Structures are given as structure tokens and as C-alpha cells.
Amino acid sequence: MMGERVGDITGLREELILKSCKLAIKAHEKFPGKLYIYEKNRGSTEAVFAFAGSWLVDHWYSRKPFGETKVDASKFPSLRSIGRDEIALVNEAFSTRFEQLLIKSTLASEVEKAVSDRKQVVFTGHSSGGPMAILAAIWFLEKYVRPNIYQMHPYSVTFGSPLVGNRIFSHALRRENWGRYFINFVMRQDIVPRIMLAPISSTEEGLKLMHDFTSPKSQSFQHVPIGNSAAASAFFLSVMRNASSVASHAACNLMGCTNLLLETVSSFIELSPYRPLGTYIFCTGNGKLVVLDNPDAVLLLLFYCLQLSPEEQNAEFLHGIFRAHLVYESELQESLNMQNVIYIENLIDIPLSSDAGTNYAAATVNSALNDLGLSMKARLCLRAAGELEKQKLENQRRIGYYDAFRNQRDANDFNANVKRLELAGIWDEIMEMIKRYELPDGFECRKEWIELGTIFGRLVEPLNIANYYGHLKNEDTGPYMVKARPKRYRYTQRWREHAAMRHIGSSSETTFWAEVEELRTKPYSEVKDKVLRLEEQTFAWIRDGILGKDVLLDESTFTKWWRALPVRHKSGSCIASYLGN
């Protein structure tokens, strides 16, 4: 899409983007000892927090080879795959720096003041200050926006930032519809956004070179000494070799490659877990800005737009990949003045040939792709990313045809075993597509599917439980909840809990009968606490209409079990108001 302004695409005024860039560079270059800078302007409607970067190796990698760890689920509860309950991975060194920043600085209190003043909050960072901005924005979203404390979304604006989290990290932001608040500017030849695609063993020396190149106190400031040219070349080649492995693996997956060689190679070559997130704006170096928000396409572009022949990889080029990291402010000023912006939304239609097309729109996109140096192979891979996104939407539309969910909301409609099995099969297919990421990222947060999953679970899972305990359970099979509960119920329960901001396992009314079956086989003295908890839940579920009062009928399994409990327990039970003693 051409003719749009950067501000229209990002939702941020261009003056604010430039201000963010200026402060991010200032924090990194002039205040490296400070954790962040915040310039207070009386009367301003924005609060811009700029984070300083660092070239210390232990500020990039905490361990070999890639330094990833699970996110702190207490601080970032949304950063997980909901149905699979798989927690996202984050760079541990970046995460630790952010944790220390919250503890040792006044950031939290100053953000709180900005919220009370109803300001637009922007977090920004250049280089490794970028991950701090990203984590700060997610922290803000979790603390203020998701609980409806503050509805003005923050922005994270980064310049030459390294990658921060894995695929689930990026997926979670898109699922929550937060991805659009993360804006990442990348110079075509800047090596830094690619660094995390390589292990520490390949980049440690390069980080030291970057420190010397960017430090005004260094003799190597803004130039690569001849003696270091070999080290700089080795650094570049190592990063791009690893980027090639990641991009090739991603491209094969996008194209549906089932080659056994791919599986074999990936089993013994450890690939970087890090993936792009949010919107990326690539600066071509001649004033054009190319915008993409498909994370698969961005990953491919990080590799393919920095491809050169061996003859081109000379000393001047090596100087360029370092220098590109320092020119964001001037490049952005020029690009915003030109407003030559190409937003590539429809990846499946990008031109495959580098020749200009007759159609003006196609020719404009083609010109931008040429400026990024994209080969036909690169363009085919980008098309594959677009095809996958299209297929995800088609998968979602196809399962929408299964309107049996919508048309049968009465329990009697579900009692037929054939219908129950038919619907179970449909839900099982949905769960498998979610596991393979074959549905749009936002699917698990869609209100209509959460409601349908809830209705299905409440009406059908009790039948599964009755069948299990009536016909299938024996000494070898174990409890239903441990050994036999299908993903179709576990996943949809987690959807419901996530939407309601409740902890995992708190919405377990559909497994009520399974818990009753297990408790009634054990001595009261061993399960007293569980009995009390179930009684409290049952009382609330009946009161709220989630469980029908048929569970209290004289001949129900629940009533028979409850009446067999000790008299002393029953006399103090909340269920006594329903059943007496």
C-alpha cells in the first residue's frame, strides 16, 4: 500500500517518532551509565521513557548458546500459548536487566505519575535499549491496560533493536491484539537486529568490536581498524550463517516441506529461538521505508536483505554494517521528510521479478524490494509467508461452517452419542490446528469461540466423565483429570480463564463430576481440604446457575457421596443449606 504516512500506519505522530529516536540515541550514547532518561515537559501530553543500551556481553547473553529462559509468568501472564499452556521464552540477560530496572530505578513511580496525568506513554530504546522498551511496554499492558485500569495503550518504539523473545512471545502479542503497539525501525545493513540469531560463541568478539566502534572514548570510534577487519568479517559471516539456517528452516516450514533431511538437520543443529514481534519498518538507505507486520516475513527479510556477493564484502562494507547502527536519527529525518512509505500488506501478490511492472502499485512495491536487494528466492519465501497467513484465515473460516455448535445449545441436543462424537471430532481438529499454529494468532481470544467452547464443555464433558468412570476406568487407567481428559476441554477451559483473568485451573466446573468420582473413593481424612474446596465451588456454581440443581437430586452421585460424609463435617458445610444434614 502506497501513499500512507508513517504516522497513519503506526498510530504515532511523526514528531513523536523523531523525538523517541533522538532520546533513544541520547540515552545510549550520552548516558550509558543511566538506566533510562525521562525528560519532563510541563504541559506535554506524552511521556517518553528512553532506555540506555549496553555492549557488555553479560547484558546480552546469560548462558550458552542463546541465553533464553521462560518469562516471569507472574509479571507477564499473557506471554504464553493459552491452550497448550506453554510459557514464552525471553532473553534472560535482557529480562534480568529489566527486572533490575524496575527494582533499582524510579521508572514504576514515574510511569504511575504519567498514567495519573492521563499521558500517552511511549517506551523507546536504541540497540540493546530496545528490549527494555519492549519489556516495559508489555509490563505496562499487563499492569494497566488488560485489567482496564488505563485504556490508553503504550507504544514501544525501537531503533536497531536485537530480538527479544521466541515464537510464542510474538504469537501472544498478536493474539492479544497488542502487536500494533510495537514499532521497530531497522536499517537494511545494520547487523545488530540479526545478532540474536547467532549463539554467544559466534558474537562475543563482535559485541566488543561494536562497543569500540560506537564509543566516543575508543580509538576505534566509528571506524574498523585494519587489524580488526578479519574479526569484523568473521563476526558478520557467523551471524549471517546462523541467520541463513534459521531463515532456511522457516522457509521450508512455510512451504510445507516435509523433507526428512530438514528434520534430521534441525535435530542436531541448534537454531536460535528468537523471532520478530510487532511492526517492522525497514529503512532502505535511500529514503524509502518498507513496512511489514507479518513476523515470518520479517524474519526472512532480516536475512535476505543483507545478502551480498563475496566481492562486495570488503572493508567498506564491514564499516557500513557497523556504521548503519549509528545513523537512525539522520536516516529517519530524511525518510520522514520524503514520506516514501511502502506498506506491504498483501505478501502473496509481491512481484517475483526485479523488472518494473506496468502496474504503478506493483512497480512501486517492486522498486522498494529492489532497494532491499531481494532475489527471486527471497520473494518466493515472502509469498509463502503470505500464503500461510491466508491459509490460517481460511482454516478459521472453514471451521466456522460447523454451526452445530451454534444451533444446539440445549443439553438434550447433545445427549445423542453420535452427535457428541461428531462434535468432539471437530473440536479435536481445532486443537490440532492450534498446536500447529494453523489458525490466526488471535483465534484463542475470540469471544464467540470462547463461548462456544464453554457451552460445549459444560454440556458434553460430564458425559465423557460418566462414560469414563462407568465403563473405562480401572486400576491401570488412573484418574480422568490425569490420564484421560482430552485437549478439547483443557484448551477451552484455559481460553475461558485467560479471558476472565483467572488463574489456570480456577474454572473447573466441567470436571465437577470427575472430582466427585475421585473423592468418593478415598477416606475423608485424606481429602478433607479438597472436599471443603469442592463444596465452596459447588455452592457458588449452583448459585450462579453454572451447575443445575439436578446435581442435588436424592439419587445423584454427588448427593449420595455427600450424605455419607461425617455428620460433624456436614453440619458446618455450605451445601447443608441445599441438602440439610
Side-chain angles (χ1 to χ4, degrees), residues 189-208:
Q189 289 192 342
D190 184 1
I191 192 66
V192 174
R194 286 97 168 168
I195 285 179
M196 298 312 300
L197 296 176
I200 183 174
S201 58
S202 301
T203 59
E204 189 168 1
E205 187 64 31
L207 290 174
K208 294 175 183 176

Side-chain angles (χ1 to χ4, degrees), residues 254-268:
L254 288 171
M255 296 177 180
C257 176
T258 57
N259 194 323
L260 290 176
L261 179 60
L262 174 67
E263 297 179 14
T264 303
V265 170
S266 61
S267 67
F268 67 84

